[in-house]
Amino acid sequence: MTVWVFLGESAQWPSGVFRTRERAELWIKTGELTGMLTEYPLDTGVYDWAIEHGHFQPRTAHQQISSFAGRFTTACQEHFHYTDGDPDWKETAIYHAYTGYMRDYEMIIYVSADPRSGIAPVHLRYLFRYCVEAHARTAILPEQRRASLRRSRRVRPPATDAARRNRGSNR
């Protein structure tokens, strides 16, 4: 069993705890709130949950002390960002797949900032070399994902110069 916890922008403490994401999002939308909604497991700490589910493995002595466990957080928890009550999609994976030579994994992400900041949006390309396994998760609803996959089959994002050089390369 889990709960959804809302932490408002610049808040030190959570301002809402909900049994369902839907109830939390209704509250966020109604209040036009800005912040982050995170799913938390019940009856366990995030540190223990992450270890149990294979998301984290302590590798050093300081990662096994109580103060580390007490501050621990992980991006592996389901979480969503909101601005003025609306979902905030600042980073969107627009393409991800193994390269043509099946050794490396390529991901292209679209990153944008608040338009009032004057910061131009950019496409970032990540190439994970010697990637033997890749896992992808999405927060998009199934019907939205299906529609998006239909569109992506028709149009592939423009390749970067580096991607063009690496395509077909086995180095």
Side-chain angles (χ1 to χ4, degrees):
M1 184 182 233
T2 62
V3 293
W4 290 89
V5 178
F6 183 77
L7 182 67
E9 184 176 47
S10 302
Q12 188 173 7
W13 311 108
S15 57
V17 179
F18 303 87
R19 289 188 182 127
T20 67
R21 177 178 160 197
E22 292 75 22
R23 290 182 96 165
E25 288 184 326
L26 177 62
W27 181 73
I28 293 165
K29 181 76 173 168
T30 302
E32 298 180 352
L33 303 175
T34 297
M36 184 170 63
L37 181 65
T38 305
E39 185 178 28
Y40 279 87
L42 286 176
D43 300 326
T44 187
V46 174
Y47 177 85
D48 298 322
W49 175 86
I51 292 171
E52 180 182 326
H53 288 85
H55 300 300
F56 177 72
Q57 185 61 44
R59 303 208 190 287
T60 64
H62 101 277
Q63 292 176 340
Q64 298 175 24
I65 61 175
S66 60
S67 61
F68 183 86
R71 301 188 312 270
F72 186 83
T73 184
T74 175
C76 290
Q77 288 172 263
E78 195 79 27
H79 64 281
F80 302 93
H81 299 264
Y82 299 85
T83 301
D84 300 328
D86 293 320
D88 188 2
W89 307 106
K90 291 181 180 174
E91 297 178 354
T92 304
I94 60 168
Y95 175 79
H96 62 97
Y98 276 96
T99 55
Y101 48 91
M102 298 301 292
R103 181 196 69 192
D104 302 334
Y105 195 81
E106 177 183 35
M107 179 179 279
I108 299 175
I109 297 176
Y110 177 78
V111 182
S112 64
D114 184 327
R116 297 170 290 189
S117 71
I119 299 171
V122 295
H123 287 87
L124 300 176
R125 178 180 180 261
Y126 296 92
L127 185 65
F128 301 92
R129 297 198 180 275
Y130 306 101
C131 183
V132 296
E133 187 174 349
H135 298 270
R137 289 178 25 174
T138 182
I140 309 267
L141 296 172
E143 57 273 10
Q144 292 171 320
R145 182 159 169 75
R146 279 191 293 278
S148 131
L149 289 172
R150 283 193 296 274
R151 284 190 304 272
S152 70
R153 287 186 193 114
R154 292 190 300 256
V155 180
R156 184 169 185 248
T160 62
D161 290 338
R164 284 188 200 97
R165 285 194 301 273
N166 286 333
R167 216 172 263 140
S169 165
N170 215 5
R171 288 183 275 144

